[in-house]
Amino acid sequence: MMAPPAAQCAWGLLLTFAFYMGSCCTDSASTLPHHNYCIIGAGPSGLQMAYFLQRAGRDYVVFERSHAAGSFFALYPRHRKLISINKRHTGKSNSEFNLRHDWNSLLSHDSRLLFRHYSHDFFPEADTMVRYLEDFASMLELRVQYNTAIIHVRLERDSRAWNGHYFILTDHNSQNYRCSLLLVATGTWVPNVINFPGSEYVEGYESVSINPEDFAGQSVLILGRGNSAFETAENILGVTNFIHMVSRSRVRLSWATHYVGDLRAINNGLLDTYQLKSLDGLLEGDLEDLAIVKDKKGKLHITLKFYLENSNSSAGAESITLPQDELDNFATRAPYDRVIRCLGWKFDFSIYNRSLRLMPGKGNKKKYPLIKPSYESRGTRGLFVLGTASHSIDFRKSAGGFIHGFRYTTHAVHRLLEHRHHGVPWPSSVYPITQLTNSIIKRVNEASGLYQMFSVLGDIILLRENATAFEYLEEYPVGILAELELHTGRKAHNGLFVVIMEYGKNFSGADKDVFYYNRAVGEAQHAWQSNFLHPVIYYYKQLPTVREMRLRPPDWPLPRPDAVHHIVEDFLTDWTAPNAHILPLRRFLENCLDTDLRSFFAESCFLFALTHQKLPPFCQQGYMRMQGLVGNERLRHHAVEAGLLEDHTVMHFTDELLGGQRGSRDQLLKDHVIPGSPLHYLVTTKDEL
């Protein structure tokens, strides 16, 4: 039965409207501003990732809610003194080594953007950091969209997207953006707040006065025991009656725990006045059990929740039972003029739709989002967390929550993304096996990423067939060692070494005397007992499995290896001593590879050739091929910089003029090598062979 004409007309109009609305929605979705990479936050980690993406020529944008980069440092720390060291002089000119002691610079190719050019202070001012980050963004022309606050993030399923979905970001002006991959670099900036009866009388670190005169003659209670709490106390220490600090845990000193986030010496003046009985003091207690009542004079009295259970909550302090009424030497029986909350910060989860499944961690890591050792969200593929907010990976272990640590983990994330989405393998260099010992020694003496992100980032050495050569990968996250082939595009069929830095297993801790008499180890045979930061080399005949990674011993960064070697700690962190450092390492490598890694003179190789069926690799790769040092571009460039060799581009040009004749080129090499240099000896010896 056909519908009446009027009904047909109505249905036609309805279908036309529906089609129009559908096409509008489709068109609007397809015309959204789109970027392959979206970064939320133009703080240090956001700018660092922007730099790597820009150098790689990728499509990206950085969204920053403020009008300038590094807005967090425009307010924090409140008393404007950073606790990240700015060591301008080390006695060395090696730029990679110097970054070990420069905790503020971001990584770039521009030497002008080293923090030592911005401040001479060992502990710089926060305003200097703001200026540095603004220059980093502007001088490198990073694509930052300022005054754009992202207030909501959701998923849009699409099989054509890189990860099976797009990220739809909405800003404060209701403008939407579509992103193939999301990089969260917002840090932790939401203040931790504990609610208890009377918490409305508490002032927050983020808003309390920083003028010491406002505290003159006052008694102050500080809730918290981190650097922000002690920084606040340090500011008013000389003008207050007394300062009490209360926290759930005992004070942890960074020099005792080796953790940069614990109390630093620059802020610990109150420890002196406490231990020298000058009125100030530290207390331990659960803050959630506290209660504060205010008397008619405006004084604040500290009590406990259970004292208020049977009392009138609106009554004043005079009619409420206080702990000192039953215990006349109760520690906090004296009233306070002010109570200040300094409990640190947490990650802002509020802008992320539930579809992203971005969940907080557990226990003391609940202030951070839950992520994998690859820094990718456990709930959503394609969502990576950078910077301070990624600190759950190495919380209270390494430096991943601070600039001098996350500049390297951000670089690692970029390399992971380059391989996943653009097919670019993890950068590596291939060397003959004779260079294995020297390559390791060079890295442990220079590498800043290994040094700062100890036990988290490691160098991977992949052995080639028959151990004739090796492939060297720098600063790979060891937490995903089992998935190395998947994440890097490199193969590990013939075994591998992992080079990392570690402290001693039982050295640090709040309850341990880290200055005890025999704290240092000086002899190679006791290297495994080294307490201070030192290199450790793990050898695996095959790549560890995911299960082995999961079942590794507690506090071990890696599963049990087939062999392990500790290079003994060194007071100068200079692991170049021939007998204490290099010789034991070479013997360890030789035992693992069942080969001889020594270097020989030509006459020794000649003797080996006459008396042995198998020559050492050095003789096979050098003497038997009529070579000294095995030449490569990197070696020549180093020789030019060191003044051992003139610019080799001149030689290439002359090669062309001479028609590439080998004899003419060798003669030219002799002419351009500086007399008396090691290369001069090698070149002249080469002809003698």
Side-chain angles (χ1 to χ4, degrees):
M1 180 181 295
M2 295 185 63
Q8 290 182 7
C9 183
W11 275 108
L13 288 173
L14 183 61
L15 290 173
T16 302
F17 179 74
F19 176 77
Y20 172 76
M21 289 300 295
S23 63
C24 284
C25 292
T26 303
D27 291 343
S28 63
S30 62
T31 56
L32 285 181
H34 175 84
H35 298 280
N36 287 338
Y37 296 92
C38 290
I39 303 171
I40 305 179
S45 62
L47 296 179
Q48 186 68 86
M49 178 56 81
Y51 168 77
F52 293 131
L53 291 172
Q54 183 148 308
R55 293 283 286 181
R58 306 304 175 199
D59 170 37
Y60 78 93
V61 66
V62 183
F63 296 111
E64 169 56 43
R65 62 181 177 176
S66 179
H67 66 281
S71 59
F72 180 87
F73 293 98
L75 179 61
Y76 302 114
R78 292 296 313 284
H79 303 91
R80 312 313 291 150
K81 181 70 72 173
L82 299 177
I83 57 174
S84 49
I85 65 174
N86 178 39
K87 192 172 181 63
R88 299 172 57 243
H89 303 288
T90 65
K92 297 188 178 183
S93 59
N94 185 290
S95 57
E96 178 71 10
F97 175 86
N98 289 340
L99 277 174
R100 289 183 171 187
H101 310 288
D102 173 356
W103 289 13
N104 299 283
S105 295
L106 296 179
L107 305 179
S108 80
H109 65 282
D110 193 337
S111 61
R112 295 174 300 171
L113 291 171
L114 291 173
F115 202 84
R116 61 187 176 88
H117 299 312
Y118 285 77
S119 175
H120 290 184
D121 296 333
F122 190 68
F123 293 108
E125 295 293 322
D127 292 331
T128 308
M129 175 59 73
V130 175
R131 182 164 57 91
Y132 171 77
L133 295 176
E134 290 177 350
D135 283 357
F136 191 90
S138 61
M139 291 173 63
L140 297 173
E141 299 180 347
L142 303 180
R143 295 192 282 274
V144 183
Q145 186 170 316
Y146 295 105
N147 299 310
T148 305
I150 300 301
I151 62 172
H152 188 254
V153 182
R154 62 180 175 87
L155 289 184
E156 180 184 84
R157 303 291 176 184
D158 193 321
S159 59
R160 297 168 296 178
W162 284 356
N163 298 290
H165 52 251
Y166 290 109
F167 297 90
I168 306 299
L169 281 58
T170 305
D171 68 14
H172 64 293
N173 291 320
S174 300
Q175 171 67 53
N176 290 329
Y177 308 87
R178 188 174 65 179
C179 313
S180 297
L181 190 136
L182 182 61
L183 298 153
V184 178
T186 55
T188 54
W189 61 273
V190 178
N192 280 315
V193 177
I194 295 180
N195 293 314
F196 52 80
S199 59
E200 64 270 18
Y201 303 125
V202 176
E203 301 174 76
Y205 170 81
E206 65 278 5
S207 58
V208 71
S209 171
I210 59 174
N211 182 3
E213 291 305 313
D214 291 342
F215 297 85
Q218 294 184 356
S219 304
V220 178
L221 176 67
I222 296 178
L223 307 180
R225 195 162 295 168
N227 277 295
S228 61
F230 276 91
E231 165 206 328
T232 301
E234 194 80 14
N235 185 52
I236 60 177
L237 198 59
V239 299
T240 52
N241 298 332
F242 58 79
I243 302 173
H244 291 165
M245 301 181 72
V246 60
S247 179
R248 181 176 53 209
S249 59
R250 296 174 52 198
V251 64
R252 290 185 289 243
L253 301 165
S254 59
W255 49 258
T257 63
H258 300 310
Y259 176 57
V260 65
D262 283 334
L263 178 59
R264 305 290 299 285
I266 190 176
N267 288 329
N268 68 8
L270 187 134
L271 297 183
D272 272 2
T273 56
Y274 169 43
Q275 294 291 1
L276 298 177
K277 303 308 295 177
S278 187
L279 297 182
D280 303 316
L282 305 179
L283 298 162
E284 286 78 43
D286 195 333
L287 300 184
E288 294 182 347
D289 293 336
L290 291 183
I292 298 177
V293 293
K294 191 173 186 179
D295 65 20
K296 294 179 179 179
K297 297 180 180 179
K299 298 288 187 178
L300 303 176
H301 298 261
I302 304 301
T303 183
L304 302 175
K305 279 184 182 179
F306 71 85
Y307 281 99
L308 303 181
E309 290 178 354
N310 299 320
S311 302
N312 183 355
S313 60
S314 62
E318 295 82 1
S319 59
I320 294 178
T321 302
L322 299 175
Q324 54 264 35
D325 296 333
E326 299 179 358
L327 184 65
D328 58 7
N329 69 337
F330 184 66
T332 58
R333 61 185 179 273
Y336 299 94
D337 296 289
R338 306 175 85 152
V339 179
I340 306 172
R341 165 181 45 77
C342 302
L343 301 175
W345 299 270
K346 59 184 178 181
F347 182 79
D348 181 13
F349 291 92
S350 65
I351 69 172
Y352 302 96
N353 188 277
R354 296 178 66 179
S355 61
L356 273 72
R357 294 179 293 175
L358 190 62
M359 304 296 292
K362 298 180 180 179
N364 58 7
K365 299 179 182 180
K366 63 183 179 182
K367 60 183 177 180
Y368 302 113
L370 191 62
I371 57 176
K372 302 175 184 177
S374 62
Y375 300 89
E376 187 172 21
S377 167
R378 291 191 177 275
T380 303
R381 181 176 171 84
L383 192 162
F384 287 81
V385 179
L386 309 175
T388 301
S390 69
H391 195 30
S392 60
I393 298 297
D394 61 306
F395 182 60
R396 302 199 56 76
K397 294 179 181 178
S398 198
F402 313 90
I403 291 176
H404 61 288
F406 63 62
R407 62 191 178 193
Y408 302 106
T409 59
T410 301
H411 198 188
V413 171
H414 175 253
R415 286 171 166 171
L416 294 174
L417 295 176
E418 282 290 291
H419 180 250
R420 177 193 285 189
H421 295 299
H422 307 288
V424 180
W426 194 282
S428 67
S429 300
V430 178
Y431 302 99
I433 200 67
T434 53
Q435 299 299 316
L436 181 57
T437 306
N438 290 340
S439 296
I440 294 175
I441 290 296
K442 174 178 169 59
R443 286 289 294 168
V444 300
N445 279 285
E446 294 180 0
S448 181
L450 295 184
Y451 193 85
Q452 298 296 3
M453 290 306 299
F454 53 88
S455 300
V456 176
L457 297 181
D459 284 0
I460 311 298
I461 301 171
L462 304 177
L463 298 172
R464 294 292 177 89
E465 189 174 0
N466 299 323
T468 57
F470 63 92
E471 189 172 11
Y472 205 106
L473 285 67
E474 298 179 358
E475 295 168 10
Y476 179 80
V478 297
I480 52 173
L481 180 63
E483 299 95 29
L484 180 135
E485 295 184 347
L486 172 66
H487 290 303
T488 65
R490 308 296 181 180
K491 301 300 180 182
H493 296 325
N494 303 293
L496 66 152
F497 292 97
V498 181
V499 182
I500 61 175
M501 307 286 278
E502 294 183 22
Y503 279 99
K505 291 288 188 294
N506 301 308
F507 180 47
S508 64
D511 297 324
K512 297 180 180 178
D513 177 13
V514 295
F515 294 111
Y516 66 94
Y517 184 70
N518 292 319
R519 62 185 178 273
V521 175
E523 298 185 9
Q525 61 264 38
H526 302 300
W528 62 278
Q529 295 177 310
S530 294
N531 288 320
F532 291 95
L533 194 65
H534 64 285
V536 184
I537 296 89
Y538 292 74
Y539 171 64
Y540 297 95
K541 294 180 180 178
Q542 58 186 13
L543 196 65
T545 65
V546 174
R547 183 176 184 274
E548 288 172 336
M549 288 293 296
R550 187 173 63 252
L551 298 179
R552 65 185 183 271
D555 298 326
W556 278 52
L558 292 167
R560 292 189 183 277
D562 293 292
V564 65
H565 176 72
H566 291 253
I567 299 180
V568 68
E569 64 189 42
D570 187 81
F571 187 70
L572 301 176
T573 63
D574 180 4
W575 290 281
T576 57
N579 293 325
H581 302 136
I582 299 177
L583 179 60
L585 171 63
R586 178 175 62 78
R587 287 178 172 170
F588 166 75
L589 299 174
E590 289 176 335
N591 287 333
C592 293
L593 302 176
D594 191 24
T595 192
D596 190 333
L597 295 178
R598 290 178 294 174
S599 300
F600 297 95
F601 291 109
E603 57 185 309
S604 299
C605 290
F606 177 73
L607 183 62
F608 280 133
L610 295 177
T611 58
H612 291 71
Q613 292 184 342
K614 181 181 178 182
L615 296 182
F618 184 87
C619 294
Q620 293 180 34
Q621 298 172 359
Y623 174 78
M624 297 303 291
R625 297 181 182 179
M626 301 182 67
Q627 292 182 354
L629 287 176
V630 180
N632 57 50
E633 192 66 25
R634 193 171 182 177
L635 177 62
R636 292 190 184 96
H637 181 68
H638 176 73
V640 170
E641 287 188 336
L644 302 175
L645 186 68
E646 292 186 8
D647 193 341
H648 67 275
T649 55
V650 176
M651 302 181 340
H652 288 319
F653 175 72
T654 309
D655 255 359
E656 295 176 2
L657 294 178
L658 296 175
Q661 298 177 19
R662 181 183 178 119
S664 300
R665 188 182 188 285
D666 288 346
Q667 183 59 47
L668 182 65
L669 182 63
K670 286 183 181 180
D671 295 340
H672 282 272
V673 172
I674 298 172
S677 72
L679 285 181
H680 178 262
Y681 170 78
L682 287 169
V683 170
T684 54
T685 304
K686 176 174 176 289
D687 278 352
E688 294 170 2
L689 294 176

